[in-house]
Amino acid sequence: MSVETSRTHKTSYDAETHARLTADSDVIVARYPQARSALLPMLHLVQSEDGYVSPRGIAFCAAHLGLSTAEVSAVATFYTQYKRHPNGTYTVGVCTNTLCAIMGGDAIWEDLSDHLGVGHDETTDDGVITLERVECNAACDYAPVVMVNWEFFDNQTPDSARQLADDLTAGKRVVPTRGADSVCSFKEMSRVLAGFDDGRADEGVGAGVPTLRGVELARAEGWTAPEFPSATASAAPAGATAPKVGGEQSSAERPATTPADVSPAAEQKKQSTDDAKES
């Protein structure tokens, strides 16, 4: 059962929260040549505040970046790491892509779903765990893999994954196989994804034995990769022309907006939309 229906949306941030989010957003925007490029990390930022990308979070991003709420919503609904309903304290993702599936990922998923009483992208009644079926955790050498707020738990079984979920529910400390020494909350992880360091980057085990096996074998056998071709050898074929930066085929210097986007009518429409969302 999902907890979505038991929670209500807040429509605006209080002055203190708004000021704090604005200061953090200014830090994010300063990293990019165009302010609108900061949208992805800013969505993680508001998610770290609300536990999901809320209507007020969308309105805040739109107002801060000079976008419409429709533009922000279009991005927020495209990527699965942005949640459009309240998320649990922990996102437990079970990889069911090809290798993990045949190594037991499907069995882990079915067992956890039955054990927790929720399906894909649903949250337990206590609000602790949101369960996800993940396409790939990029850790095939440790299949089957489960992730908790994107921390790795390798070589899992239905029993070990069930115990992991029970420990999270009981509030016990769990230790990832690799990476940080502990698992932080979904909100805390969202702030990290927004680009704010939590000081845990150098904790725990980095690359494990299976990951390093290839490079160790290459060193033992004296294998080396071929050199990159020279600049002249990799030049375009005779007669071919590369797109000129800022030209018709290049988006490198193309304006982010058109005249219609910044017309008085468009600006008024954006402002009225933002005001309605923030009111």
Side-chain angles (χ1 to χ4, degrees), residues 59-109:
F60 174 82
C61 291
H64 197 83
L65 297 176
L67 303 171
S68 69
T69 52
E71 289 174 305
V72 177
S73 295
V75 175
T77 55
F78 187 82
Y79 298 100
T80 59
Q81 279 190 326
Y82 300 128
K83 307 302 181 183
R84 294 310 313 278
H85 51 81
N87 201 77
T89 305
Y90 303 102
T91 295
V92 175
V94 181
C95 183
T96 55
N97 211 328
T98 308
L99 186 56
C100 277
I102 64 175
M103 295 293 287
D106 285 339
I108 291 173
W109 164 262

Side-chain angles (χ1 to χ4, degrees), residues 54-258:
S54 62
R56 65 178 182 172
I58 287 177
F60 174 82
C61 291
H64 197 83
L65 297 176
L67 303 171
S68 69
T69 52
E71 289 174 305
V72 177
S73 295
V75 175
T77 55
F78 187 82
Y79 298 100
T80 59
Q81 279 190 326
Y82 300 128
K83 307 302 181 183
R84 294 310 313 278
H85 51 81
N87 201 77
T89 305
Y90 303 102
T91 295
V92 175
V94 181
C95 183
T96 55
N97 211 328
T98 308
L99 186 56
C100 277
I102 64 175
M103 295 293 287
D106 285 339
I108 291 173
W109 164 262
E110 293 169 3
D111 189 82
L112 269 185
S113 181
D114 290 342
H115 183 63
L116 296 173
V118 294
H120 171 68
D121 200 28
E122 293 182 349
T123 304
T124 54
D125 288 335
D126 56 12
V128 174
I129 293 176
T130 296
L131 186 63
E132 281 190 347
R133 183 191 291 269
V134 180
E135 276 302 305
C136 183
N137 281 328
C140 301
D141 41 354
Y142 298 96
V145 173
V146 172
M147 296 193 85
V148 179
N149 291 345
W150 300 288
E151 299 289 358
F152 290 104
F153 290 81
D154 303 325
N155 302 311
Q156 293 293 292
T157 66
D159 288 342
S160 66
R162 194 184 317 113
Q163 184 62 57
L164 172 62
D166 288 345
D167 288 344
L168 292 171
T169 301
K172 296 181 180 179
R173 179 176 180 269
V174 297
V175 180
T177 310
R178 292 171 288 130
D181 290 335
S182 61
V183 172
C184 63
S185 71
F186 178 78
K187 288 184 177 181
E188 291 169 333
M189 180 53 65
S190 294
R191 183 169 175 80
V192 173
L193 293 175
F196 295 94
D197 185 13
D198 65 353
R200 306 189 314 142
D202 296 324
E203 290 181 358
V205 177
V209 174
T211 303
L212 298 175
R213 182 69 183 107
V215 68
E216 290 174 349
L217 179 62
R219 288 171 178 170
E221 297 293 333
W223 299 337
T224 58
E227 295 183 0
F228 284 106
S230 65
T232 54
S234 59
T241 58
K244 180 182 178 182
V245 174
E248 182 179 352
Q249 296 180 2
S250 172
S251 62
E253 296 180 0
R254 187 174 299 160
T257 57
T258 66

